[in-house]
Amino acid sequence: MLLGVNIDHVATLRQARGTRFPSPIEAALVAETSGADLITLHLREDRRHIQDHDVDAMRATIKTRMNLEMALTDEMLANALRVKPEDVCLVPEKREEVTTEGGLDVIRYFDEVREFTRQLTEAGIRVSIFIDPDVKQIQAAWDAGARVIELHTGAYAHADFQHAAQQAELARIREAAVFGDHLGMVVNAGHGLNYHNVTPIAAIQEIAELNIGHALVSHALMVGFASAVREMKALMIEGRQGL
């Protein structure tokens, strides 16, 4: 199982004071040497954390793979076609939200998703769609041309202290992963995963990759970035192996 380290909130801390540190680039390099398989970052329309220069510097520096999260806007499409990351993940975005609140409604925005997917794919960029664990949405993503999905695990994560609700969400994620895998899609997952809830998600064999950011960056404040990445990867391996 692959670990994508989302470094957005390193930039959040930097932007709080408008300085040049901490450096998202440095964090990405430490993550790579500590077991990260790819680096995920979200260039938001309001530039609240990651900046354009971060994306350019990251593209030129990292040695693994860049997974660029972006909204369905012409500006972001043009930027992705210029930067040409290995992966683009299409996500919903509202300026007033604290973080991404749900999966992209592919059914509602089907034409836009299909066109973005076509242009990005033709440019040699692998397209993923951040999506709720819903079979109808997954089918729509497939029909729009996407061959990779990232299942939104937020509802599962937010049910941390409600065992029955969490188990129901886990079953929903498992069903969605099986469905996507059956279609022939690469199934990834992320959002709200932390050191206490990641193992059951990692145990789902159909999920190939987890993207984790806030919990990892928060833990890094206490133990250091390298240790935080290594600990998370170890938990994922434990879950995959059923230990």
Side-chain angles (χ1 to χ4, degrees):
M1 172 169 277
L2 304 179
L3 170 60
V5 172
N6 187 316
I7 47 79
D8 289 351
H9 294 301
V10 176
T12 297
L13 184 57
R14 177 194 62 190
Q15 296 303 112
R17 293 295 294 270
T19 63
R20 291 183 292 178
F21 56 86
S23 166
I25 312 303
E26 183 178 356
L29 295 176
V30 171
E32 286 186 320
T33 59
S34 303
D37 300 288
L38 63 145
I39 302 299
T40 296
L41 63 163
H42 184 176
L43 183 67
R44 295 185 71 106
E45 291 182 85
D46 62 9
R47 307 302 198 271
R48 68 176 63 171
H49 38 57
I50 294 296
Q51 306 297 304
D52 294 80
H53 63 80
D54 292 322
V55 178
D56 292 337
M58 201 80 64
R59 189 72 184 96
T61 305
I62 63 173
K63 305 302 182 185
T64 55
R65 173 161 53 93
M66 177 188 283
N67 176 32
L68 179 63
E69 298 179 338
M70 55 171 261
L72 282 170
T73 69
D74 291 339
E75 178 201 12
M76 291 301 162
L77 177 60
N79 185 67
L81 292 173
R82 178 185 64 81
V83 174
K84 290 191 175 180
E86 286 82 5
D87 293 83
V88 156
C89 186
L90 301 177
V91 302
E93 187 174 315
K94 294 186 292 187
R95 287 180 181 269
E96 67 274 12
E97 67 187 0
V98 174
T99 186
T100 307
E101 295 175 348
L104 182 62
D105 189 342
V106 183
I107 295 172
R108 179 179 178 184
Y109 298 107
F110 182 82
D111 290 341
E112 293 95 325
V113 171
R114 181 170 58 184
E115 180 58 21
F116 273 54
T117 299
R118 181 190 67 79
Q119 291 194 46
L120 291 164
T121 300
E122 288 180 356
I125 301 168
R126 191 175 73 155
V127 179
S128 174
I129 302 179
F130 188 64
I131 196 170
D132 287 332
D134 178 280
V135 295
K136 292 182 180 178
Q137 292 287 348
I138 296 169
Q139 183 66 59
W142 172 269
D143 293 341
R147 295 298 177 259
V148 186
I149 52 173
E150 181 174 340
L151 299 177
H152 184 281
T153 54
Y156 163 80
H158 296 151
D160 259 346
F161 303 106
Q162 304 170 52
H163 181 73
Q166 189 174 57
Q167 291 306 303
E169 290 298 334
L170 182 63
R172 186 175 170 224
I173 293 167
R174 188 179 296 113
E175 178 186 2
V178 169
F179 182 76
D181 181 70
H182 178 73
L183 286 177
M185 306 184 92
V186 175
V187 181
N188 302 327
H191 198 81
L193 298 178
N194 58 48
Y195 294 83
H196 303 290
N197 63 24
V198 70
T199 305
I201 298 294
I204 300 173
Q205 296 296 314
E206 291 78 11
I207 295 178
E209 170 188 305
L210 300 180
N211 286 293
I212 303 174
H214 184 261
L216 198 152
V217 173
S218 298
H219 189 50
L221 293 174
M222 308 302 166
V223 303
F225 215 83
S227 293
V229 173
R230 286 195 292 265
E231 287 180 40
M232 181 59 74
K233 192 65 180 286
L235 286 171
M236 289 167 52
I237 293 171
E238 179 182 317
R240 178 50 54 95
Q241 295 177 341
L243 300 178

